[in-house]
Amino acid sequence: MKLAKGWHDFFDKDVPNLALRIVAMFVGLSFVAFSVALSRTTGLGTSVISCVPAVLSFLTPLSIGLFTFALNTLFVLAQVVLLRRDFKPLQLLCIPFVLVFSLAIDFFVPICQLIPMPVYPVKIFFSLVACFCTAFGVWIQVKAALIMLPGDGIVLTISKVFHTDFSKTKIAFDASNVIIGAGLSLITMGGLFGVREGTILMAVTVGLIIGLLNKTFPNIEYYLPTEGHITLTADDRPVPEEREPQEAPEPATSPDATC
């Protein structure tokens, strides 16, 4: 298909490619931001990484977006302290993305509050919608392969500095977020707010949905090329010595490829 080949050839050039991937990154962030706002509105719990900001937003008059930005900034500072000379100043570019993400959450919250959710099944339905939005947003960000956000960066940093397995460190990090959020909610408000069954639903379904998207659109890299272009994702970050680097999948080369 000439249109597909023309798209690939144009966006495989450095400047158009960077512009396309920045747009894709912001699209992904917007979907995740909407998911955070929607899941908070259901009252059934947000994603794991948003547990603590959600609880704090219920506890104080400050917004969930503000707490999200503050928490992610702390993650970046922690990386600076732990990595020291290994920390690349270019990694600070994640902060503008986090700022936009945080502002987008606060933008979507009042909009989502207008959605009527009178009964529990309706809340479950919108929790599932939030799961799909999170999965799609994360999937787009991963495919853009532009920059690693602080929530993942701190896990990789801990894994490198303390020589721990990345997957186990990720599980421990996620569990600690849930425990801190749930504990803070129970102690200060006497119940679970921001951490509930929706959090578990999000943890279980998002990975499955991303896998489904990968199978449904196997040639997305042809339309969002990344090979040979600038990236500040995990592939360019220090990793634990005991972990073998994974080979990146080769993008489709045929102009007839479809997504």
Side-chain angles (χ1 to χ4, degrees):
M1 295 173 62
K2 293 183 178 180
L3 182 60
K5 187 179 187 303
W7 175 281
H8 175 81
D9 290 346
F10 178 74
F11 284 109
D12 203 27
K13 300 175 183 177
D14 289 342
V15 175
N17 179 269
L18 181 61
L20 176 64
R21 290 162 64 208
I22 289 175
V23 170
M25 190 75 180
F26 281 121
V27 169
L29 287 173
S30 297
F31 270 89
V32 178
F34 175 76
S35 168
V36 173
L38 183 61
S39 58
R40 182 188 183 277
T41 303
T42 65
L44 300 183
T46 62
S47 64
V48 170
I49 194 66
S50 298
C51 282
V52 174
V55 171
L56 291 173
S57 72
F58 284 116
L59 181 61
T60 71
L62 301 180
S63 70
I64 184 174
L66 178 61
F67 282 118
T68 297
F69 182 75
L71 183 62
N72 279 274
T73 301
L74 286 176
F75 289 157
V76 174
L77 293 176
Q79 292 176 63
V80 174
V81 172
L82 291 172
L83 288 174
R84 299 180 183 179
R85 294 181 180 179
D86 288 336
F87 183 84
K88 300 178 181 178
L90 281 176
Q91 292 166 20
L92 293 173
L93 290 176
C94 67
I95 293 181
F97 287 95
V98 171
L99 177 60
V100 172
F101 175 61
S102 303
L103 292 173
I105 293 175
D106 284 345
F107 171 78
F108 285 123
V109 166
I111 295 175
C112 290
Q113 289 175 340
L114 298 176
I115 302 174
M117 302 182 191
V119 293
Y120 186 77
V122 175
K123 294 180 179 181
I124 287 291
F125 169 76
F126 281 111
S127 289
L128 288 171
V129 172
C131 292
F132 275 95
C133 290
T134 293
F136 181 76
V138 170
W139 181 69
I140 288 293
Q141 291 177 59
V142 170
K143 294 304 179 181
L146 185 63
I147 197 166
M148 176 173 283
L149 294 180
D152 293 320
I154 186 61
V155 175
L156 188 63
T157 296
I158 293 172
S159 180
K160 168 189 162 48
V161 172
F162 297 100
H163 303 285
T164 58
D165 179 74
F166 178 81
S167 61
K168 293 180 180 178
T169 305
K170 175 64 174 173
I171 293 172
F173 178 79
D174 288 347
S176 65
N177 274 279
V178 174
I179 292 171
I180 292 172
L184 186 62
S185 179
L186 288 170
I187 293 172
T188 59
M189 293 180 282
L192 292 175
F193 298 89
V195 188
R196 282 183 54 182
E197 58 268 40
T199 303
I200 299 174
L201 188 64
M202 190 83 69
V204 171
T205 61
V206 168
L208 296 175
I209 297 171
I210 290 175
L212 179 62
L213 289 170
N214 283 330
K215 291 180 180 179
T216 305
F217 305 103
N219 298 313
I220 186 65
E221 287 87 355
Y222 187 76
Y223 299 89
L224 190 58
T226 59
E227 186 174 352
H229 297 285
I230 184 172
T231 175
L232 292 174
T233 58
D235 294 335
D236 296 318
R237 300 284 302 275
V239 295
E241 296 178 357
E242 64 270 23
R243 295 181 64 233
E244 293 292 335
Q246 296 181 347
E247 295 183 359
E250 296 183 359
T253 56
S254 171
D256 297 325
T258 58
C259 63

